[in-house]
Amino acid sequence: MLFHYHFWTPYVEETEKFYEDNGFRISQRIGRYQGEFQEFNPPLKWEDFREKNILFRIIEARKGTINITFGYGKRIMFDHIGFLVSDKEREKICENAVKLSWKVDKRERRTFISTPYHFRIELQTNTDVVDSLNSKINLQELKLETKKAGLESDLLTLFGTSKNRVYSEIGDVVTM
C-alpha cells in the first residue's frame, strides 16, 4: 500500500501549516539545535521555538493511512516514496529489485531501494507509522516527474502488481 512520501524544502514552517490546514496531524519534529538532534514535537508550537536556529531534519504529518515527512533543504527536492508491506512482500520485492539490478539497503526498521529514476523506494513493515489502517483516507495515486521513461513498467516488475498507483511523466527534474 502506497502510504508515504518524503521531500526537502527551505519552507518547513509554511509546509507544516499547509498540511495542518488540510487536516493532517503533526506527530513529530526533530531538528538539530546547538549541535544535537532534539525533539520539538507537539504540543510545542512554532511560537515556542521559531527564534531558535533549528535545522529540522524531519517533520512528520499524518492523516488516516497517509504519512508525509519533510525536512529542511536549501531547495525543494523529492527524496522517496514509501509502501507499507508485509515481511513476506518485502522479501519478494527485494528479490525483484536485485533482478532489476537495483541496490537494496535492508535496515532494522525499514528497507530502502535505490532506483535509476533518482529517488528511492521505502518498504515499511511497521504499521505504527500510520494513524489507522482502517481509514478511508489514503493515497489514491501519486504522479512523479522523472528524467527517464519506464517507471510504471519497472514498478510492475518490482511489486508484481499494478495496484500501486504511481504514474510518471518525463521532465527536467525529479519531483511529484
Side-chain angles (χ1 to χ4, degrees):
M1 170 181 69
L2 177 64
F3 83 102
H4 171 72
Y5 58 83
H6 178 88
F7 61 96
W8 305 102
T9 178
Y11 312 107
V12 289
E13 183 176 358
E14 297 87 344
T15 302
E16 179 179 307
K17 182 172 180 355
F18 169 82
Y19 284 106
E20 281 187 312
D21 289 350
N22 284 282
F24 284 78
R25 171 181 78 82
I26 303 304
S27 60
Q28 182 180 58
R29 292 187 203 99
I30 298 175
R32 183 180 294 270
Y33 178 64
Q34 297 181 337
E36 294 184 24
F37 283 106
Q38 300 178 33
E39 292 184 357
F40 299 88
N41 298 337
L44 291 178
K45 297 183 182 341
W46 278 87
E47 291 77 27
D48 299 323
F49 52 79
R50 183 181 291 115
E51 301 307 316
K52 295 180 178 182
N53 188 21
I54 302 168
L55 188 63
F56 280 100
R57 176 76 177 143
I58 190 164
I59 296 176
E60 181 179 69
R62 294 179 175 200
K63 184 177 183 180
T65 62
I66 304 170
N67 174 305
I68 297 166
T69 56
F70 52 94
Y72 176 78
K74 291 181 182 178
R75 61 186 169 92
I76 298 172
M77 188 172 79
F78 176 65
D79 191 86
H80 69 267
I81 56 177
F83 293 87
L84 197 53
V85 297
S86 69
D87 287 328
K88 184 178 177 182
E89 288 171 317
R90 180 183 59 179
E91 293 309 313
K92 182 63 177 161
I93 294 166
C94 288
E95 289 173 16
N96 292 341
V98 169
K99 289 176 186 174
L100 288 166
S101 299
W102 293 1
K103 181 183 171 203
V104 176
D105 180 13
K106 281 189 180 180
R107 300 179 185 180
E108 182 180 328
R109 182 127 177 104
R110 57 192 176 165
T111 297
F112 281 100
I113 298 172
S114 298
T115 75
Y117 300 95
H118 301 285
F119 71 89
R120 299 177 300 155
I121 294 173
E122 174 185 345
L123 302 177
Q124 178 63 256
T125 58
N126 299 290
T127 59
D128 64 352
V129 297
V130 296
D131 282 347
S132 172
L133 287 174
N134 299 320
S135 175
K136 293 181 181 180
I137 299 170
N138 54 48
L139 282 173
Q140 292 293 314
E141 65 181 37
L142 189 62
K143 187 174 184 180
L144 301 176
E145 183 175 315
T146 61
K147 294 181 180 182
K148 69 180 258 182
L151 177 62
E152 288 90 343
S153 173
D154 282 345
L155 290 179
L156 181 60
T157 300
L158 185 68
F159 289 99
T161 178
S162 61
K163 70 177 180 177
N164 300 306
R165 297 184 186 125
V166 178
Y167 306 99
S168 68
E169 63 183 36
I170 306 302
D172 296 329
V173 20
V174 177
T175 190
M176 45 176 202

